Amino acid sequence: MTPLHRSFINRPPRESSSRETLARSQVLARSWPFLLDLTVAAIALAAFYGIVRIAMFWAGRSEPEVIISQSPRALPLYAFYSVVRIGLAYLLSLFFAVGYGYVAAYSKRLEPLMIAALDILQSIPVLSFLPGVMLAMVALFPTRQLGVEMGAIVLIFTGQVWNMAFSFYSSIKSIPKELREAADINRFSPLQRLVQLELPYAAIGLIWNSIMSVAGGWFFLMACEMFVLGTRDFRLPGLGSYLQTAAGTGNGPAILWGLATMIAIIVATDQLIWRPIIAWSDKFKFEQVESSQRVNSPLLHLLTHSNAIKALRLRTTTPLREKIYIALARRRRERVAQLEAAPAVKANGTSESLLTTGRGAIMVAACAGVIFAAGHALILLRQVSGAEYLQVGKGALATFLRVNLSLLLASLWTIPVGVAIGFHPKLARIAQPVVQIVASVPAPALFPVILLALIRIGGGLGIGSIALMMLGTQWYILFNVIAGAMAIPTDLKEVATLFRFSQLQRWQTVILPGIFPFLITGLVTASGGAWNASIIAEYFHLKGQTMQTTGLGAVISGATDGGQFQILLLATIVMALMVVTTNRLVWRPLFRLSETRYRLGG
C-alpha cells in the first residue's frame, strides 16, 4: 500500500470535520456577544472618565494667557479638548436644528420670519458673533474656565447649525402627501409624527449635513480656540490653537503633526460613528423596491448582535416609548372629551383671549428688544466716517464676486462626483472617508502652503482667497448632492434602466430632479459659508505678518483685531443684507420650485 493510499484511509470522515467546524462556530457565536458587551462596557467607562476629566478642567480657574505648546506630546490632550468642544457644539446644533426646522415648517405665521432670520444668521460670520458671545460667557463665569469654554462651544455652534436647520426644514416640507395622510389616519400625536415620520424621512439629509457640520466645526476651530479681541488675547488649549500657532510661526513639522492627528481623529470618527449611522439610515429611504446594494458597516452589525444592547432596548427604551405614546393618546382623548363637554363659545373665547394676551406680550417684548438694539447700533454707526463707508462698499463688491466665482467652480466638480458616490455604495465606502478627511482638514492650516506657492508663481491673496473659500464651502454642495443621490428611490433608477435611458436622459429625468431639493439646500448653505470663509480667506497672519486683500471679510477681521466695533457692526450688517437679498431673489424661488415640482409623492 502506497503512502498516498494510507493518507486516504487514515483521513477522518468529512462529517466529523464539518461537525467540529460547526461546533467551533457555535462557540464563537456564543462568546462573541460577551466580548462585545465587554467592549461596550469599556467604552462606557472611558466616556465616564473623559467626562470627569473635562469637568475638572472646566471647573478650574481661568488662565489669562495660556502658552500653546508646539510639541507633539501635547497633541493627545489638545485633541481630546477639541473633540469635546466640537461634539458638544454638534449636539447643541442637532437639537436646535430639529426644533427650529419643525416650528418653521408648521407655523404659517412664523415661517417667513424664521426663514428670514435663518438667512441672516447663516450670513453673519463667526467673528461677528465672537465679541458678544465671548464677553457674555466670560461675564457669566468670570473666574472659571467654563466661561471661555462655553464661549468657544457657542461659536463653533454658529458655524455648524444653519445647514442642518435648512436640511431638516426642507425635508419636512417635502414629505409626500400619502405619508402625511397615513399619519393622520392613524391619529399620530405630534411626538409620534416627529419620531416615526419626520425624523426618519429627514434622516439621510440630516446625517450628511451633520457630517458637513462637523467638518465645518474643524474648519472654524482655529478661529474659535485662539483669537484677539481688542487688548485681550483668548487662547484655549486645543488642536485648533495648536495648528494656528504652528501656521503663524511657520513650523512645518508641527503643522504636519497636527494635521496627522486630525486625520486620525476623522478616520476614527468615520469608522466608529458616521459609517454605522449611514448604514442604519439606509432603511429610511423612501422607495417601493428594495435596493440590491446596501451600505454595510461591520460595527453596526456587531452592535445589533450585542446582548447588552438588545436587553437595554427590550427592557428599557421600547417599554418607555410605548408608555409615552399611550399616555399621550390618553391625554389627547381626555382633551377632546373636555372640549366636547364644555361650552364651545366659552372655551373658544377663553383660549383666544389667552392666545391674544400671550402674543401681545411677546410682540411688546420683541419690539422693545429691537428698539433697544437698534438705538445702540445707530449710536455706534454714527462713529463711522465716509471713507470707512466707501471701504466697506468696495470690500462688499469684491467679496460678492469671489463668493459667486467660488460657488460656480465648486459646483462644476461636486455635482457629478456627488452623484457618482451616492449611486455606487462600493465607491462610497472608499470615497466617503476620503472626502470627509479632506473636508474636515481646516483650510487655514493648508493656506500657508497654498499662499506661498501662489506668491512664487506670481499670484497673491486675491486668487488665494478664492481657493480658500472653495476649500471651506464646496463640501456643503458635495455632501448634499451625495444625500440627494442616495435618497433617489431604487424603483426610479430601475425604470430608467428598463426603458434604456441614455446618460443625458437619466440626468434630465431622474438625477437632476431627484437631487434638486438637496442641491438647493447645499447651494444656500455654501453661499452663506463662503461669506463666512471670507473672514479668514481675505485676512491672514503668516510668519508674524498680516496679509490682506480688498474684501468685506478683511474689513471684519481687521475690525475684530483692532477692537473697532462700529466698523465690525457696519460690515456685518452689509454682509447680512447682501446674503439675504441674494437668498430672496435667487435661492428662495428655487427652493419653492423644489417644494412643488420636484417633490416625491402626489
Side-chain angles (χ1 to χ4, degrees):
M1 186 179 292
T2 64
L4 182 61
H5 287 89
R6 294 193 193 98
S7 65
F8 276 104
I9 293 174
N10 296 329
R11 179 178 294 176
R14 290 184 177 180
E15 293 183 0
S16 61
S17 62
S18 62
R19 289 173 184 171
E20 291 176 359
T21 304
L22 180 61
R24 285 197 298 268
S25 63
Q26 290 176 350
V27 171
L28 289 174
R30 296 191 198 100
S31 61
W32 180 247
F34 175 72
L35 296 176
L36 184 60
D37 293 339
L38 290 180
T39 304
V40 172
I43 294 174
L45 289 175
F48 177 76
Y49 172 76
I51 293 173
V52 172
R53 181 65 184 265
I54 202 71
M56 292 174 60
F57 175 65
W58 286 5
R61 298 190 64 85
S62 177
E63 299 181 17
E65 294 184 5
V66 177
I67 299 176
I68 304 300
S69 173
Q70 297 188 43
S71 172
R73 296 180 180 178
L75 280 174
L77 185 60
Y78 286 178
F80 171 70
Y81 289 151
S82 295
V83 168
V84 170
R85 293 180 191 118
I86 290 180
L88 292 177
Y90 168 72
L91 292 177
L92 183 63
S93 301
L94 180 62
F95 287 113
F96 179 89
V98 172
Y100 197 95
Y102 184 89
V103 175
Y106 283 108
S107 178
K108 293 183 178 180
R109 293 184 177 181
L110 295 178
E111 181 179 7
L113 180 62
M114 295 182 71
I115 297 303
L118 200 60
D119 289 339
I120 295 172
L121 290 173
Q122 73 146 352
S123 66
I124 298 177
V126 171
L127 289 184
S128 297
F129 286 109
L130 191 149
V133 169
M134 190 56 66
L135 293 177
M137 291 299 172
V138 172
L140 287 175
F141 307 96
T143 61
R144 299 295 177 186
Q145 182 70 18
L146 180 61
V148 184
E149 295 286 346
M150 291 300 296
I153 290 171
V154 173
L155 289 175
I156 297 172
F157 159 83
T158 61
Q160 289 183 339
V161 65
W162 315 122
N163 62 303
M164 295 172 61
F166 265 120
S167 174
F168 189 71
Y169 165 78
S170 61
S171 295
I172 292 181
K173 298 295 286 187
S174 60
I175 291 177
K177 183 179 179 180
E178 55 267 30
L179 294 184
R180 294 184 182 275
E181 291 176 349
D184 293 335
I185 292 173
N186 288 278
R187 297 181 180 180
F188 278 11
S189 66
L191 179 62
Q192 283 178 295
R193 186 188 296 269
L194 175 66
V195 174
Q196 298 184 4
L197 173 60
E198 291 152 356
L199 283 175
Y201 189 83
I204 295 178
L206 193 58
I207 288 169
W208 282 97
N209 274 278
S210 296
I211 298 176
M212 184 59 245
S213 291
V214 174
W218 286 108
F219 180 86
F220 288 109
L221 190 69
M222 295 176 65
C224 296
E225 288 186 346
M226 186 175 176
F227 53 89
V228 177
L229 184 58
T231 58
R232 303 184 63 177
D233 187 1
F234 291 92
R235 298 184 184 185
L236 290 173
L239 197 53
S241 57
Y242 179 93
L243 284 169
Q244 187 172 349
T245 304
T249 58
N251 190 341
I255 293 176
L256 294 178
W257 276 108
L259 290 178
T261 304
M262 183 175 293
I263 290 173
I265 295 172
I266 294 166
V267 171
T269 304
D270 173 74
Q271 296 298 317
L272 299 178
I273 298 178
W274 296 128
R275 183 174 292 275
I277 291 177
I278 290 173
W280 169 77
S281 69
D282 197 53
K283 64 182 180 180
F284 298 127
K285 184 184 292 186
F286 180 66
E287 57 186 1
Q288 281 76 40
V289 179
E290 185 177 4
S291 175
S292 59
Q293 293 181 325
R294 293 288 185 183
V295 180
N296 297 319
S297 170
L299 181 60
L300 179 64
H301 177 75
L302 295 177
L303 290 176
T304 54
H305 290 79
S306 170
N307 292 330
I309 295 178
K310 285 182 180 178
L312 181 65
R313 183 176 65 252
L314 294 176
R315 299 178 182 178
T316 305
T317 57
T318 301
L320 180 61
R321 184 176 66 248
E322 293 299 328
K323 288 182 179 179
I324 292 174
Y325 289 160
I326 292 173
L328 290 174
R330 186 184 300 114
R331 185 179 300 176
R332 187 177 182 181
R333 288 195 300 267
E334 293 175 355
R335 189 181 306 160
V336 171
Q338 290 176 359
L339 290 176
E340 292 176 351
V345 177
K346 183 178 179 181
N348 292 335
T350 304
S351 61
E352 288 180 2
S353 62
L354 289 175
L355 287 174
T356 304
T357 304
R359 290 170 185 167
I362 293 174
M363 289 297 296
V364 169
C367 291
V370 170
I371 293 172
F372 179 80
H376 281 269
L378 289 175
I379 293 173
L380 277 176
L381 292 178
R382 289 177 61 184
Q383 304 175 16
V384 182
S385 64
E388 291 170 338
Y389 273 103
L390 184 60
Q391 179 188 6
V392 171
K394 290 181 179 178
L397 179 60
T399 304
F400 177 78
L401 296 176
R402 292 191 189 100
V403 165
N404 287 281
L405 181 58
S406 65
L407 287 179
L408 177 62
L409 295 176
S411 300
L412 291 177
W413 78 269
T414 54
I415 294 176
V417 171
V419 169
I421 294 175
F423 269 41
H424 303 89
K426 293 182 179 180
L427 176 62
R429 282 196 293 268
I430 301 173
Q432 179 207 330
V434 175
V435 170
Q436 187 184 343
I437 290 170
V438 178
S440 301
V441 174
L446 301 175
F447 199 48
V449 180
I450 299 174
L451 186 57
L452 290 174
L454 287 173
I455 291 174
R456 289 183 179 178
I457 63 175
L461 195 58
I463 300 176
S465 59
I466 298 175
L468 186 59
M469 285 182 184
M470 287 185 59
L471 288 174
T473 61
Q474 59 193 351
W475 314 115
Y476 291 101
I477 306 174
L478 178 63
F479 279 78
N480 274 281
V481 170
I482 293 174
M486 293 184 67
I488 294 177
T490 304
D491 43 354
L492 295 183
K493 301 176 186 177
E494 293 184 354
V495 167
T497 303
L498 181 65
F499 284 92
R500 297 180 180 180
F501 283 3
S502 65
Q503 196 66 23
L504 180 60
Q505 288 176 319
R506 285 176 181 268
W507 276 89
Q508 290 178 339
T509 59
V510 178
I511 298 175
L512 285 178
I515 68 171
F516 190 77
F518 295 86
L519 178 61
I520 296 303
T521 301
L523 288 172
V524 170
T525 52
S527 176
W531 284 97
N532 261 288
S534 66
I535 63 176
I536 303 175
E538 297 172 346
Y539 189 94
F540 198 81
H541 297 285
L542 181 63
K543 293 184 178 181
Q545 297 181 353
T546 300
M547 304 185 67
Q548 60 180 324
T549 186
T550 302
L552 200 56
V555 174
I556 291 175
S557 298
T560 304
D561 281 355
Q564 297 174 312
F565 296 112
Q566 69 277 9
I567 299 178
L568 177 63
L569 176 62
L570 175 63
T572 301
I573 292 174
V574 171
M575 182 176 288
L577 287 176
M578 295 190 71
V579 174
V580 172
T581 303
T582 304
N583 288 345
R584 290 294 173 219
L585 296 179
V586 179
W587 304 124
R588 192 55 51 195
L590 292 175
F591 187 78
R592 284 195 294 268
L593 182 64
S594 70
E595 290 180 353
T596 55
R597 185 173 180 180
Y598 300 110
R599 176 179 176 179
L600 289 174

